[in-house]
Amino acid sequence: MTCEPGLERDDLDMCETHEVDFRSAEEARASLPDTGYVAEVFRVMGDSTRLSILYLLLKREWCVHDLATILDTSVSNVSHHLRLLRTMRLVKATKVGRRVVYSLDDEHVETLMSEAFKHAAHG
Amino acid sequence: MTCEPGLERDDLDMCETHEVDFRSAEEARASLPDTGYVAEVFRVMGDSTRLSILYLLLKREWCVHDLATILDTSVSNVSHHLRLLRTMRLVKATKVGRRVVYSLDDEHVETLMSEAFKHAAHG
DNA sequence: CGCATATATGATTATATGTTCAAATATCGA
DNA sequence: TCGATATTTGAACATATAATCATATATGCG
């Protein structure tokens, strides 16, 4: 494997001692999508309290007060978490009287969660 | 809706001003699984660098040096992230000469990622 | 209106996390 | 064995985050 012209060797100098050709690396880098958004979704789901909220919303909608009671934490805490979930458009809020009822806003999240919990039960 | 005996009203006092019966809340709480492990998996996947590593490993295995080059970061940084992924058993390491080659160790992760990226492309 | 309920928000704080740097270990080749 | 390469590890630091508290807004009821 030799370094061909046209490719910046300074950027991907994998052909010095590696037998791995740097063209594969170049292709790999090019094929890499923007992971930022997906990572953010995973990060938001990667908290026990928020994941519990999402899990509860799988079956039915809940208002903030009830979520806080079920999860044994403060209304304020739940509200903060819900704001994050709302920002990421994973849940949506509907005002009902003086209450705000939350429900899932993303079908994809349900798929992700059912997959994840399925695997957790398996392992 | 009245509060029946046998259930701790102090714990779930949702029948005071809520029309939501607290038995539903009690059932919801009971149905809630341990979200700790799943949340941890999501959390580990919820970092752009780690998610990129996992994405690259979808196609083929890579050694640490190459991953660092492709991701344009230090070998040390990649190694730290790989340790986390290894601890969670999402990737596995194989020593080849003086190199350590990493590959995916969890079929479930592939499912989760393909789902997530599919949805990202959709939205 | 006045008061209790329901939710949201901003400030604060303790902790967690990602990255970098320096150093240690290990393997290969001359 | 010596030096270069490859990876790991621990310390340090800047930043991010979750939880708490106090407060603000808004709605419903008497």
Side-chain angles (χ1 to χ4, degrees):
Chain A
M1 189 66 221
T2 56
C3 295
E4 302 175 25
L7 287 172
E8 292 298 331
R9 200 185 165 287
D10 286 339
D11 279 1
L12 287 163
D13 55 347
M14 307 204 144
C15 48
E16 188 175 41
T17 62
H18 278 133
E19 55 265 22
V20 174
D21 65 290
F22 71 100
R23 185 193 299 232
S24 298
E26 180 65 51
E27 286 173 7
R29 183 193 281 191
S31 75
L32 197 62
D34 178 36
T35 55
Y37 171 72
V38 175
E40 209 172 341
V41 171
F42 277 133
R43 185 183 60 80
V44 169
M45 296 179 72
D47 173 84
S48 191
T49 302
R50 284 193 295 269
L51 196 60
S52 297
I53 291 174
L54 292 175
Y55 190 93
L56 289 168
L57 296 182
L58 276 176
K59 278 202 172 178
R60 51 160 288 189
E61 55 184 23
W62 288 102
C63 72
V64 183
H65 177 275
D66 290 354
L67 287 172
T69 306
I70 296 171
L71 299 176
D72 194 34
T73 185
S74 69
V75 166
S76 173
N77 190 26
V78 170
S79 183
H80 277 297
H81 283 301
L82 284 170
R83 185 159 61 91
L84 236 181
L85 292 168
R86 221 177 337 120
T87 301
M88 294 297 294
R89 299 184 189 280
L90 303 189
V91 305
K92 65 174 183 288
T94 307
K95 189 139 195 174
V96 178
R98 53 182 152 179
R99 241 169 296 153
V100 178
V101 175
Y102 282 85
S103 55
L104 291 184
D105 194 26
D106 191 333
E107 48 177 331
H108 306 327
V109 173
E110 310 179 35
T111 310
L112 284 178
M113 286 212 298
S114 64
E115 282 294 328
F117 279 100
K118 194 191 303 173
H119 304 155
H122 227 262
Chain B
M1 188 67 223
T2 57
C3 295
E4 301 174 25
L7 287 173
E8 292 298 330
R9 200 184 165 289
D10 285 340
D11 278 2
L12 288 163
D13 54 348
M14 308 203 144
C15 49
E16 189 174 39
T17 60
H18 278 135
E19 54 265 23
V20 174
D21 65 291
F22 71 100
R23 186 194 298 233
S24 297
E26 179 63 54
E27 284 172 8
R29 184 192 280 190
S31 75
L32 198 62
D34 178 36
T35 55
Y37 171 71
V38 175
E40 210 172 340
V41 172
F42 278 133
R43 185 182 61 79
V44 169
M45 296 179 72
D47 173 84
S48 190
T49 304
R50 285 193 294 270
L51 196 60
S52 296
I53 291 174
L54 292 175
Y55 190 93
L56 288 168
L57 296 182
L58 277 175
K59 278 203 172 177
R60 51 161 287 190
E61 56 186 22
W62 289 101
C63 72
V64 183
H65 177 275
D66 290 353
L67 287 172
T69 305
I70 296 170
L71 299 177
D72 194 33
T73 185
S74 69
V75 166
S76 172
N77 190 25
V78 169
S79 183
H80 278 297
H81 284 301
L82 284 170
R83 185 159 62 91
L84 237 181
L85 293 168
R86 221 177 335 120
T87 301
M88 295 297 295
R89 298 184 189 281
L90 302 189
V91 305
K92 64 173 185 287
T94 308
K95 189 140 195 174
V96 178
R98 54 183 150 177
R99 238 169 301 151
V100 179
V101 174
Y102 282 85
S103 55
L104 291 184
D105 195 24
D106 191 332
E107 47 177 332
H108 306 326
V109 174
E110 312 180 33
T111 309
L112 284 178
M113 286 212 298
S114 63
E115 283 293 328
F117 280 100
K118 193 190 304 172
H119 304 155
H122 228 262

